[in-house]
Amino acid sequence: MSEVGTYTVEDGGIGVVAIDHPPVNALGIVTRRAIDAGCRKFADDDAVKAIVLICGGRTFIAGADIAEFDHPPIAPTIHQLFDLIEAIDKPIVAAIHGTALGAGLELALICNYRIAVPSARVGLPEVSLGLLPGAGGTQRLPRIVGVERALELMISGAPVPATKALELGIIDVLAEEGGLREDAVALARTVIGKPAPRVRDRQDMVAPARGHPEIYADFLQKNARAFRGFKAPGNIVKAVEAAAEIEDFDAGMAREAELFAELLASPESAAQRYYFFAERETAKIPDIPRSTPTVAIDTVGVIGGGAMSGGIAMSFLDAGIAVTLVEASREALDRGLAVIREKYQNSAQKGRMTPAQVDRRLALITPALDLAALAEADLIVEAVVEEESAKKEVFARLDAVARPGAILASNTSFLDLDAIASATGRPDRVVGLHFFPPANVMRLVEVVRGARTSAEVVATAMALAKKLGKVPVLSRVCAGFIANRIMGERGRQADRLVLQGLTPHEIDRAIQDFGFAMGPFQMMDLVGLDVPGRGDTERTVAGDLVKADRLGQKRNGGYYDYDDQGAAMPSPVAARIIADVARARGIAAAGQVSSEQIVARLLYPVVNEGAKVLEEHVAIRASDIDVAAILGYNWPVFTGGPMFWADMIGLRKVVDGLAAQDIEPAKLLVDTAARGAAFTR
Ligand code: 3H9
C-alpha cells in the first residue's frame, strides 16, 4: 500500500496495481510514485505472472498533472516511469473506465493490453493545452491507427468512446460495465506466458505513409485557418511525420521530446494551460461555498420569440430540460418555433444528431401566448427587447404569475438588473443569465448577481449553466457586465482610429493578425449596424451608415461592400461617410500607424477596462475576465485573454501606451504596474 496505491495479488498470480488519487488520478508525482512502487513490487515478485493497472474513483488517469508543467520535473518523471513499465517482462493490462486522456492514454498504450468499459472514453487532448502528446502518444497512436487518423485524433483532441476505440484498435477488449476489475484480471490470466504485444514494435500502420510528405502538407493547408496563431498543431504534425519516417522507435521518441519541449516553453502553451485552470476557477465564489444548496430546475419558461430566446430555449432543450416558450403574438411564436425546428433539422442533416434526438428536443417545447403558462416553471428567462421599461413590465407580471420560489432571470446585456428586480416583490430570486449569440452555441453565460440576489439563486444559476455545458462567469451589476463592457472599448477605439484616417480593413487586419477570427468592423457588419441600444450621443460613422440605409451584410453593406458571394471589399461610400464624419467632428488624420500600434490602441483600453471591472469588484478575479473575453468574443486563447496578455507584455508598457492615447489608466492598473506585480499571477 502507498498513499494512493493498493497492491494485491489475485488468484493465478495477477498483481493488481490500483490507483486512487482524486479528483482525476492525474499523473502527478504522488500517482507516479504509487505506480512506480506497485510495478517494481510485482516485477520482482516471482509469484506474479501478469499485472493489471486500474484506477479507483471516477476515472482512469486523465493526463499528466497540468500544474506540474510550471515546475522542474521530479523523479520518477513520466518518461522514467514509462521506461520502467515497458521494461517489465510480464504482460501488463490497462483497465480503463471514465476517461483515459493524455499521459493516461499514453500509459495505457505502453501496456501490452487495454480493456475498457463501454462508457469509457480515450483521447489525446494535449493540443488544447498548446502541447503535443509527449509521452509516446505521437509515436504509438499512428502505429495503431495510421498517420491520418492519428492526426485527426490529436488535432481535434476530442476523446472517442470505448466502442469506437475498439474499432480503431486503440483498446483490445470491452469489459462488462461495473465488472472492469474482474474482466481485466481474467484477461490477464489468459495472456500469461504468451508473447506480449508492444505497440513500439509495429510498423504495419505507419509504413504505407513513409515517403509521403504531401500527407502533412495537405493536412496543414486544409486546416490553415483553424491553426492560425496556434503553435501546437504544427508540432503535432511534425511528430506524427517522424513516427512514419523514422523507423527507429527511440529516435522517433527523441524527436517527439524535442518538439514537446519547444511547445512547453512557448507563450502559447503557457496561455492555454493558464486558461485550462481559469475556466475551472470561474465556478468558485469566495462567499458562496460549493456546499450551498441549489434549487432543482426541471421546467423553464423562456419569454420572447426572437433569435436570442430561440437560442436560449435550445440550450435548455439540448440539456433535456422542458421549455415553455412564450411570445406576444401567434406569428412571432410560430416564427420562433420554425427557426428552432429548422436549426435542429439542419444539425440532423449534417449528421450532428439523429432524427430521434431532434424529435425528443422538439417534444420538450410547449408554445404559449400567455405568461400564465409559466405558473409552474422553476426558472423563467426573459429575453424581450432591451429596454428597461419593457423588462420591468414583464418582471412585474411574472411576479404575479410565477410560483413562490421560482427564479426570475433576465438576459439583459446592458441594463440595471437591480432596477429590473425592483419591479418584483422578490428581488432575492432575480438573477441575470446573460447568454451570448448564438446562445445555443456560445459557451459563455454571465451570471449577474444583483444587490439582493440570494446565495442559493446564484449557486443554482452557476450549476445550471454548467449543466447546459456552458461556462458561467459571475458578474456584479454594471453597464455591459464583463465581456460587453471591456470589449466595447475595442469598438470605441476602432471608431476613433477610423476617424483618424485608417481604413476599416487596416484595423480589421491588424486585429485578425493578432488572432481574432474577425476585426471589429467585420463583426459590426455581420451583427448589423442597426442593433438597438447603441445610444450614440454624437455623430458617428455607424449612425451615418444606418442613415444611408447601410445596415451591414444584411442590407447594402456597412463598413464594407459585399459581392454576390458575400466577400467583403473596400467601400467608397463608407469611406466618404467616414471622411464626412471626421470633418464634421474636426478630427485630424493620425498619419502612419503600424499593425502593432493598432493592436495596442484597440486592446490596451480593453485591459484598462478589465482593471476597472476588477477594481469595482464586478468580476471576482482577473482570470474570469479572460474567460469572458475568450468565450464571449473569441479573444484568441493562445494569448490567454486580455489580463494574462497584459501581464505577459508588462503592465508598465500598457500604462505608458494608454497615456500616449490620452486615456487615463485605472488606479488598479497603475498600482499593480508600480508594484511590478501582475493580474493573473
Ligand atoms: C499531458 O498528459 C501531457 C503528456 O502528453 C506528456 C507529459 C510528458 N492536471 O474538469 P473538471 C482538475 S497533458 C491537473 O472540473 P470534469 C481540475 O482542475 C494533460 N488537474 O472535471 C479540477 O480541479 P478543481 C492531458 C486536473 O469531470 C478537477 O480536476 N489531459 C487535470 O468536468 C476536476 O476537473 C487533459 O488535458 C490534470 N490533467 O472533467 C485532460 N485534469 O476541482 C484535462 C483535471 O480544483 N482534464 N484536473 O477545479 C479534463 O479534460 C477534465 O478534467 C476531465 C474531467 C474530462 C478529466
Side-chain angles (χ1 to χ4, degrees):
M1 254 289 307
S2 82
E3 222 177 313
V4 298
T6 312
Y7 317 119
T8 38
V9 181
E10 305 240 343
D11 287 353
I14 310 301
V16 179
V17 177
I19 300 299
D20 197 355
H21 190 37
V24 297
N25 291 308
L27 204 51
I29 183 60
V30 176
T31 308
R32 294 200 298 275
R33 282 192 182 130
I35 299 174
D36 181 274
C39 287
R40 283 178 194 277
K41 178 178 160 63
F42 290 145
D44 294 343
D45 184 344
D46 289 339
V48 170
K49 306 292 179 210
I51 299 172
V52 168
L53 181 58
I54 192 167
C55 290
R58 57 171 146 138
T59 179
F60 192 74
I61 294 162
D65 184 336
I66 299 163
E68 278 188 4
F69 288 132
D70 291 328
H71 307 285
I74 305 173
T77 63
I78 289 182
H79 286 103
Q80 287 164 342
L81 176 67
F82 285 15
D83 287 347
L84 170 94
I85 293 172
E86 205 170 33
I88 295 174
D89 63 354
K90 300 178 184 184
I92 306 183
V93 176
I96 300 170
H97 76 295
T99 41
L101 300 178
L105 177 58
E106 292 174 296
L107 172 56
L109 295 180
I110 283 177
C111 297
N112 308 101
Y113 302 93
R114 289 159 289 282
I115 180 168
V117 288
S119 61
R121 289 178 305 143
V122 305
L124 294 173
E126 285 85 346
V127 68
S128 61
L129 300 165
L131 296 172
L132 55 74
T138 66
Q139 304 305 295
R140 287 191 177 84
L141 191 63
R143 282 174 160 77
I144 299 174
V145 301
V147 299
E148 272 116 341
R149 186 58 74 104
L151 279 174
E152 277 167 30
L153 291 171
M154 286 185 230
I155 292 294
S156 90
V160 293
T163 42
K164 181 81 188 164
L166 179 71
E167 224 176 275
L168 292 171
I170 301 173
I171 61 165
D172 306 297
V173 192
L174 282 182
E176 279 291 317
E177 204 69 62
L180 180 61
R181 184 175 170 125
E182 295 71 24
D183 287 358
V185 169
L187 171 65
R189 284 195 194 110
T190 65
V191 297
I192 293 171
K194 295 192 181 151
R198 297 192 312 171
V199 177
R200 64 146 62 215
D201 299 331
R202 287 180 63 174
Q203 285 294 324
D204 54 317
M205 293 302 283
V206 282
R210 196 160 296 146
H212 289 287
E214 70 282 1
I215 297 176
Y216 314 99
D218 289 352
F219 186 77
L220 286 170
Q221 199 192 3
K222 210 171 70 198
N223 293 289
R225 215 179 133 91
F227 293 172
R228 207 166 53 91
F230 290 93
K231 205 171 164 57
N235 280 25
I236 289 176
V237 171
K238 285 181 196 161
V240 170
E241 184 169 7
E245 294 302 320
I246 308 176
E247 233 178 298
D248 175 47
F249 185 82
D250 292 321
M253 286 295 286
R255 179 74 179 129
E256 177 191 90
E258 202 176 273
L259 292 163
F260 180 83
E262 200 177 291
L263 292 179
L264 189 60
S266 70
E268 290 86 352
S269 174
Q272 289 178 262
R273 283 181 276 129
Y274 155 80
Y275 179 73
F276 175 85
F277 290 110
E279 197 181 288
R280 282 153 180 84
E281 196 72 12
T282 66
K284 296 168 192 160
I285 309 170
D287 66 330
I288 303 184
R290 271 191 179 184
S291 56
T292 305
T294 56
V295 186
I297 305 290
D298 298 321
T299 55
V300 171
V302 176
I303 309 169
M308 199 61 211
S309 46
I312 295 173
M314 287 171 79
S315 303
F316 288 106
L317 299 173
D318 290 343
I321 299 174
V323 172
T324 301
L325 186 63
V326 183
E327 237 314 324
S329 72
R330 167 61 58 192
E331 297 72 46
L333 188 60
D334 288 347
R335 202 169 45 238
L337 288 169
V339 171
I340 293 177
R341 198 173 303 119
E342 194 184 311
K343 286 196 174 159
Y344 279 139
Q345 278 161 357
N346 280 344
S347 296
Q349 261 159 24
K350 288 181 189 147
R352 293 203 196 111
M353 54 176 75
T354 63
Q357 286 171 322
V358 172
D359 291 346
R360 248 196 318 276
R361 283 166 172 76
L362 293 176
L364 285 171
I365 313 184
T366 309
L369 289 167
D370 190 342
L371 292 184
L374 304 178
E376 294 308 317
D378 301 315
L379 165 77
I380 301 170
V381 186
E382 162 281 312
V384 303
V385 55
E386 188 74 357
E387 281 167 18
E388 191 175 308
S389 57
K391 301 224 183 240
K392 274 180 153 171
E393 193 192 317
V394 169
F395 269 74
R397 287 169 57 206
L398 281 180
D399 198 24
V401 298
R403 64 170 180 76
I407 297 176
L408 309 183
S410 173
N411 179 53
T412 178
S413 47
F414 282 94
L415 300 174
D416 179 351
L417 184 77
D418 292 324
I420 296 171
S422 72
T424 73
R426 51 174 118 178
D428 57 316
R429 310 301 290 173
V430 175
V431 70
L433 280 181
H434 181 213
F435 290 81
F436 286 71
N440 55 317
V441 176
M442 298 292 277
R443 288 177 66 225
L444 177 65
V445 174
E446 287 177 337
V447 172
V448 185
R449 182 178 188 179
R452 297 181 57 191
T453 313
S454 75
E456 183 191 60
V457 169
V458 172
T460 301
M462 299 294 284
L464 177 69
K466 283 215 144 181
K467 193 169 169 195
L468 303 185
K470 311 276 183 198
V471 179
V473 170
L474 192 65
S475 172
R476 283 287 188 183
V477 176
C478 73
F481 312 117
I482 301 173
N484 283 347
R485 174 169 164 186
I486 62 165
M487 294 306 293
E489 288 306 308
R490 185 186 72 166
R492 234 182 304 286
Q493 299 307 325
D495 285 347
R496 225 175 123 181
L497 264 191
V498 92
L499 287 171
Q500 290 175 3
L502 275 82
T503 65
H505 178 63
E506 281 172 297
I507 296 170
D508 282 342
R509 199 184 44 209
I511 291 300
Q512 275 188 307
D513 288 349
F514 177 79
F516 281 92
M518 253 185 244
F521 298 109
Q522 290 164 316
M523 192 174 126
M524 280 189 270
D525 269 7
L526 183 71
V527 176
L529 299 179
D530 56 339
V531 289
R534 208 185 288 288
D536 296 328
T537 50
E538 55 193 341
R539 188 170 165 195
T540 62
V541 174
D544 274 28
L545 286 169
V546 172
K547 274 189 212 136
D549 203 28
R550 292 182 65 91
L551 304 188
Q553 276 193 45
K554 65 181 171 188
R555 191 147 91 217
N556 298 332
Y559 288 93
Y560 296 92
D561 286 339
Y562 295 88
D563 68 14
D564 293 345
Q565 270 76 50
M569 297 169 302
S571 164
V573 182
R576 202 171 333 110
I577 289 175
I578 291 168
D580 284 351
V581 176
R583 202 172 317 109
R585 287 179 45 187
I587 297 171
Q592 275 291 344
V593 184
S594 69
S595 259
E596 200 186 331
Q597 284 167 324
I598 294 174
V599 167
R601 290 190 59 172
L602 263 61
L603 301 186
Y604 287 1
V606 175
V607 174
N608 195 37
E609 202 61 28
K612 288 184 196 165
V613 157
L614 260 187
E615 194 169 85
E616 295 166 19
H617 305 290
V618 168
I620 297 174
R621 50 182 84 81
S623 60
D624 285 5
I625 299 173
D626 287 334
V627 173
I630 288 169
L631 295 184
Y633 275 80
N634 292 321
W635 181 293
V637 64
F638 53 79
T639 70
M643 308 312 274
F644 184 85
W645 174 68
D647 285 342
M648 294 298 264
I649 40 185
L651 299 185
R652 266 171 226 272
K653 194 169 164 193
V654 177
V655 171
D656 293 345
L658 289 166
Q661 288 181 69
D662 289 332
I663 295 176
E664 192 180 335
K667 183 171 180 318
L668 183 68
L669 175 59
V670 174
D671 291 351
T672 313
R675 282 189 290 118
F679 288 125
T680 59
R681 266 173 273 129

